Amino acid sequence: MASDDAGSEQESIPYKFGKTHEIGDIREQYGTLEPGRGTGEVVSVAGRILRLRRQGKVVFAELRDWSGSVQLFAGADFTERFDRLARCSLGDWIGASGEVVTTRRGELSVRVDTWELLALATLGFGDKWHGVADIDKRWRHREVDLWANEGPMTTLLTRSRAVRAVRSLLEDRGFVEVETPVLQPQPGGAMARPFVTHHNALDSDFYLRIALELHLKRLVVGGVERVFELGRAFRNEGLSPRHNPEFTMLECYQAYADYNDMAELTEQLVAGAAQRVVGRTVVTYQGRELDLTPPWRRATMTELVSEKVGQQVDLAAGRQQLSRVAEQHGLEVLPAWGAGKIMNELYESFVEPDLWQPVMVFDYPREVSPLARPHRSEDGLVERFEAVVAGRELVNAFSELTDPDIQRENFERQAEAKASGDPEAMAVDEDYLFALMHGLPPTGGLGMGIDRLAMLLTDSSNIREVIPFPTLRPAPDPTAG
RNA sequence: GCGCCUCUAGCUCAACGGCAGAGCAACGGACUCUUAAUCCGCAGGUUCUGGGUUCGAAUCCCAGGGGGCGCACCA
């Protein structure tokens, strides 16, 4: 009987439901009402039944939509099909109409006159008190996580608002949004191992992009003076609490600007997003205060490394001295590393993890920055900075390299490294060089990890919390948990 | 890839070498203002998988699988 009944109930579910209010709005408007009051306002709300308390001829249910939850108050004397309502399962979706009231105990409620079943939850969702704690299940079946636990909906909505804020801040500054190819015959714009796929009709291998950079700069060559893309990039690398193989980047490029302009833009974007999303620019992250209010501290890599190792070091000191400093601090130096690479390693190993408040780390070695323009006054350096927040790189930006000859040299040096076995090195990108030979004006460029921005604004320690369906090993059995 | 930790009912967890259990959910019932409602009843298991040790294994050992954290790589 149960299954036949359920079958006909499925068929009787309406195709739409005219809800008049978000639950959150009702709570906002009437949340302070005294006990035992009516409002005269009749509303229709819809959502999922979170809890159900049967009391004989009267039933209390907690109904949750994505804006919040409110109690439904139903009674045999005034609610249609009362007995069926009392038999609903936790997790069922219903739409209910009635007056907004408070009960004797003062709980804000919708006193249900009429209601409709909108979906049956035939699989249980988890413990009504503990929710679902199995982290594997939460990530493989986010729909369950969203319903059973409090945090994920807030995280999802916050991320959405953060992306909207970034997009709108850029549009306010005259940037136009574009979409460039994900499938590329040759990946470029970053040093990373790509994913490979195959196009049947063209009988060609393609790579999933590892960065957005080169196509966007080609658009600048074409005259698109302020351009950005918010898009997915893919890197075939290990997973970690801070790395998902597919992740979302913002890249934007501004003609006639340099990296100092990009530093200012970085502050405006991050602080602006925080302001719009959480309402302030001082946030709490993992129990510590983080002050995103501009201006951020600016320091050069040389200064920061020197400070950390307790002696003045710079590229001019040469590979030998840097190598000695590195080894004094327990850092293994590979033979292929030049002075610049050693400096970068010193920075990444000893300085970056200890930076907490936002810092703009300026002026990277040329050796580790093949797409950035040589520094206007410092030998061996490029005009590049990374913005580090909470010990992690959030933004990477340059004065873009515009000289096709230097770009070709840099590509060729990368190609040599690739030939000698570095799977992450770049290849020579002739299409990009072709574009540069048509003239890239002075341009500032910036890349930001959107997932990491979302982590900061949602106080998430694991990137998988801000990605609804993170990359996981395929489950052998889809129902296994 | 390597190291450490973890996996028991739908969910949250006990049992830690001696009969696999509780709460919640589900199912049946009582109850007209509840707040994790309460009460009565009933059912629920390949203890992740496969081997081994043992009179006896959820428990100890080995191998495999899933997941987490750390390291490495990166954003």
Side-chain angles (χ1 to χ4, degrees):
Chain A
M1 142 197 172
S3 61
D4 286 355
D5 239 31
S8 64
E9 266 199 317
Q10 287 282 8
E11 287 165 25
S12 72
I13 287 172
Y15 283 80
K16 59 183 289 181
F17 179 79
K19 88 171 190 178
T20 59
H21 288 71
E22 300 275 316
I23 287 170
D25 294 340
I26 294 173
R27 199 165 272 293
E28 197 169 316
Q29 190 172 355
Y30 296 110
T32 57
L33 215 57
E34 293 160 23
R37 302 291 291 272
T39 62
E41 172 145 24
V42 173
V43 299
S44 292
V45 293
R48 223 173 189 135
I49 297 175
L50 187 62
R51 284 190 259 277
L52 194 66
R53 295 180 284 277
R54 283 175 269 258
Q55 191 80 40
K57 296 285 199 309
V58 64
V59 159
F60 300 93
E62 193 173 336
L63 186 75
R64 179 151 94 195
D65 71 9
W66 67 350
S67 68
S69 63
V70 72
Q71 178 166 272
L72 299 180
F73 173 38
D77 296 341
F78 54 86
T79 303
E80 66 167 12
R81 291 178 287 116
F82 172 80
D83 290 338
R84 178 63 189 88
L85 182 60
R87 282 197 349 265
C88 281
S89 298
L90 303 191
D92 284 350
W93 293 77
I94 69 170
S97 304
E99 185 187 356
V100 177
V101 301
T102 49
T103 58
R104 278 179 213 163
R105 292 290 187 87
E107 184 72 31
L108 185 68
S109 307
V110 174
R111 188 175 179 278
V112 181
D113 297 321
T114 62
W115 68 280
E116 296 202 70
L117 185 66
L118 302 178
L120 290 162
T122 52
L123 289 175
F125 269 87
D127 190 286
K128 69 179 177 183
W129 181 244
H130 297 98
V132 174
D134 180 347
I135 205 138
D136 181 36
K137 179 153 199 167
R138 290 185 46 222
W139 291 342
R140 284 190 198 279
H141 296 285
R142 186 70 80 180
E143 64 280 7
V144 173
D145 189 28
L146 280 161
W147 141 256
N149 297 312
E150 294 283 340
M153 181 66 78
T154 306
T155 297
L156 184 148
L157 295 177
T158 300
R159 178 182 177 133
S160 171
R161 290 189 196 108
V163 171
R164 195 198 315 158
V166 166
R167 180 174 272 126
S168 130
L169 288 162
L170 285 166
E171 284 170 349
D172 290 348
R173 285 163 176 72
F175 286 84
V176 297
E177 181 169 12
V178 297
E179 292 174 88
T180 63
V182 170
L183 292 177
Q184 305 182 350
Q186 181 181 97
M191 290 187 253
R193 301 175 74 150
F195 285 92
V196 193
T197 187
H198 186 80
H199 188 281
N200 291 335
L202 296 175
D203 191 22
S204 303
D205 283 343
F206 279 82
Y207 299 90
L208 303 189
R209 67 181 173 191
I210 57 175
L212 323 181
E213 177 143 356
L214 300 183
H215 284 96
L216 292 177
K217 281 191 275 190
R218 285 167 66 181
L219 292 176
V220 180
V221 169
V224 187
E225 295 185 13
R226 296 185 184 206
V227 64
F228 76 99
E229 179 168 8
L230 272 162
R232 206 72 62 86
F234 306 83
R235 296 189 184 175
N236 205 338
E237 287 161 352
L239 289 70
S240 90
R242 288 164 295 283
H243 300 88
N244 198 61
E246 51 179 306
F247 62 103
T248 303
M249 293 187 70
L250 163 72
E251 287 198 21
C252 65
Y253 295 86
Q254 179 176 347
Y256 321 122
D258 67 6
Y259 74 153
N260 295 305
D261 298 310
M262 291 300 104
E264 202 174 314
L265 180 60
T266 296
E267 292 167 333
Q268 296 302 318
L269 289 177
V270 174
Q275 184 66 46
R276 291 193 188 186
V277 171
V278 297
R280 54 188 188 279
T281 56
V282 180
V283 302
T284 301
Y285 186 67
Q286 302 297 295
R288 293 176 68 182
E289 191 177 88
L290 203 50
D291 187 353
L292 304 172
T293 315
W296 297 354
R297 179 184 173 201
R298 285 158 167 76
T300 66
M301 180 184 282
T302 305
E303 285 164 11
L304 290 169
V305 170
S306 298
E307 187 181 300
K308 195 73 188 182
V309 302
Q311 60 178 289
Q312 183 62 36
V313 290
D314 55 44
L315 286 186
R319 185 182 188 282
Q320 209 167 11
Q321 194 218 316
L322 282 165
S323 181
R324 199 165 56 241
V325 171
E327 275 160 7
Q328 276 164 10
H329 287 78
L331 183 71
E332 192 193 354
V333 176
L334 300 184
W337 295 0
K341 174 71 173 171
I342 296 170
M343 179 66 91
N344 191 55
E345 291 294 319
L346 282 169
Y347 163 73
E348 287 187 355
S349 301
F350 303 121
V351 179
E352 190 179 72
D354 290 341
L355 299 174
W356 181 262
Q357 296 297 341
V359 184
M360 309 270 201
V361 182
F362 274 73
D363 298 342
Y364 275 60
R366 201 171 156 176
E367 186 180 343
V368 297
S369 313
L371 298 166
R373 184 167 175 177
H375 198 281
R376 63 193 78 181
S377 58
E378 302 288 335
D379 269 358
L381 299 180
V382 291
E383 295 202 353
R384 169 184 177 187
F385 74 85
E386 288 192 359
V388 178
V389 181
R392 295 173 200 150
E393 179 191 342
L394 180 65
V395 167
N396 182 18
F398 322 137
S399 295
E400 300 296 336
L401 177 55
T402 55
D403 182 328
D405 297 327
I406 297 178
Q407 185 64 73
R408 181 175 289 281
E409 281 172 31
N410 290 353
F411 275 154
E412 280 168 359
R413 211 172 359 255
Q414 286 286 313
E416 281 167 27
K418 195 179 193 67
S420 56
D422 182 352
E424 293 176 358
M426 297 178 185
V428 179
D429 189 320
E430 291 294 347
D431 286 333
Y432 183 62
L433 292 170
F434 178 88
L436 284 189
M437 286 185 278
H438 291 81
L440 177 65
T443 296
L446 170 167
M448 186 187 312
I450 292 295
D451 309 275
R452 290 188 174 175
L453 178 65
M455 288 170 72
L456 290 177
L457 298 180
T458 60
D459 194 14
S460 300
S461 62
N462 193 316
I463 195 170
R464 289 169 165 182
E465 299 295 352
V466 301
I467 297 174
F469 300 99
T471 305
L472 298 173
R473 192 181 299 276
D477 174 345
T479 59

